[in-house]
Amino acid sequence: MLALPLPPLKPCRFLKRKNRFLVESDVGPLHLPNSGRMGELLLPGTPCFYHPRPTPKTVGRMILVESQGVLVGVDASLANRLLELLLREGVFGSLADLRKEVRLEGERLDFSARIGGKEALLEAKNCNRVEGGLALFPDAPTPRGARHLRLLSGFGRAGGLAYAVWMVQHPLARAFALDPEDRVLYQAAREAKRAGVQLLAYRVRPTLEALHLEEQLPWVWLPPQEDLEGHHQGHG
């Protein structure tokens, strides 16, 4: 099993969120590398684990929280390191010319590479929202995510390999879906699938020592939002 080692962690308790990237804890202010809402995870008093690394504004970086008796990863920046791990292990094919943070049409994608001799673009996304075993993305509207998918679609239509890979840092996930409430992202993903973009999701099981990459999750297409609204109106 592939695993991404974590830095040394210490326990703390979440108190409140100050802004998108800053939380208050019982050990002091912590950097939270995740812009999602995470309302079901970040409850006052929740046990958390952080990497102590003082900066002028924080005492460290929050990495894990405890929820429903399991550890959940909240550091969204680790998604691309998990994808790099898969790439370097040859999970998608023989790898060459791996480059990070590639600029394309004013956006930045995580990786470009040659996979099996073909040009490839890859983007990693993080997910830690799970409801009843279903991982749902996004946790907050993401116009940037939709732009990335459209770039991958164009690359796919031009004959390149394109991958969008979601890393679900929650061991209770059994399947993955895009939340149709984010209509722009949902439509961009539908177009990406038609353009040949590989849409993949992997379950990641966090421990205090590492993030363990587990199996690929089944992808579920929930009904688009307009279908749901029409259904509700029809039964009004």
Side-chain angles (χ1 to χ4, degrees), residues 45-193:
T46 294
C48 305
F49 294 89
Y50 74 103
H51 174 51
R53 191 176 180 183
T55 71
K57 291 186 177 179
T58 68
V59 298
R61 180 185 187 96
M62 187 182 284
I63 306 287
L64 305 173
V65 305
E66 206 174 292
S67 177
Q68 303 176 65
V70 299
L71 292 173
V72 178
V74 294
D75 186 340
S77 71
L78 297 178
N80 60 0
R81 290 177 59 190
L82 288 162
L83 177 54
E84 184 178 353
L85 197 58
L86 289 178
L87 282 165
R88 293 195 183 279
E89 284 294 317
V91 170
F92 301 132
S94 60
L95 178 71
D97 302 330
L98 181 65
R99 296 187 299 278
K100 302 178 185 180
E101 299 196 354
V102 184
R103 304 290 300 188
L104 183 65
E105 295 180 27
E107 295 288 336
R108 193 181 70 225
L109 292 169
D110 286 323
F111 300 104
S112 73
R114 288 183 69 82
I115 296 176
K118 290 190 72 174
E119 291 297 320
L121 284 178
L122 305 99
E123 178 70 12
K125 298 294 182 191
N126 184 74
C127 175
N128 50 23
R129 175 187 171 199
V130 173
E131 298 177 7
L134 182 64
L136 283 165
F137 181 91
D139 186 28
T142 174
R144 182 168 169 265
R147 292 196 300 271
H148 286 161
L149 286 173
R150 285 194 286 267
L151 284 176
L152 292 174
S153 296
F155 191 74
R157 280 192 292 269
L161 297 176
Y163 297 82
V165 185
W166 280 263
M167 298 298 176
V168 182
Q169 293 191 55
H170 200 310
L172 300 183
R174 295 291 174 266
F176 177 86
L178 295 178
D179 188 340
E181 280 196 26
D182 190 335
R183 298 185 191 203
V184 176
L185 179 80
Y186 187 92
Q187 285 305 121
R190 282 290 199 191
E191 291 164 19
K193 185 171 174 61

